[in-house]
Amino acid sequence: MYCFQIIFLINQSDIVTILTVVLIFFGILLFLGVRKSYKLKKENDRLNEVKDLEIDENKPYQDFTEGHMYQDHSPKNKE
């Protein structure tokens, strides 16, 4: 019997207010997600257009261990 008395303490306007706040919160999250998705797509399209970042498969292999950080252990010096 006590449980039913608590349910009647909540007014219809309180329910509408709570639902409005929840709707606004999820609406903002949806808007931010769509905006971020649009920005990521735009950035992806821009990066796809850049020709400098493409890897040339016909380019011969270049040994990167000839630098000072690798103490010059390249096969050229072992002859």
Side-chain angles (χ1 to χ4, degrees):
M1 188 74 160
Y2 179 72
C3 183
F4 291 117
Q5 290 175 352
I6 293 176
I7 292 175
F8 293 119
L9 292 177
I10 300 174
N11 292 333
Q12 185 177 2
S13 62
D14 294 337
I15 295 173
V16 170
T17 304
I18 292 170
L19 289 176
T20 303
V21 169
V22 169
L23 179 70
I24 290 171
F25 175 74
F26 284 111
I28 290 171
L29 285 180
L30 179 66
F31 173 74
L32 292 175
V34 168
R35 192 182 88 183
K36 184 164 186 128
S37 175
Y38 174 76
K39 284 185 175 183
L40 286 173
K41 184 178 180 203
K42 189 175 174 183
E43 179 75 10
N44 188 28
D45 291 341
R46 185 185 68 81
L47 289 175
N48 283 335
E49 291 177 359
V50 175
K51 299 295 181 186
D52 295 336
L53 296 178
E54 289 184 8
I55 298 173
D56 188 12
E57 294 180 9
N58 296 329
K59 188 176 182 181
Y61 175 74
Q62 182 180 5
D63 188 14
F64 62 90
T65 61
E66 295 177 358
H68 68 281
M69 291 179 63
Y70 296 98
Q71 299 172 358
D72 207 17
H73 291 295
S74 61
K76 288 189 263 182
N77 293 335
K78 291 186 178 183
E79 294 175 1

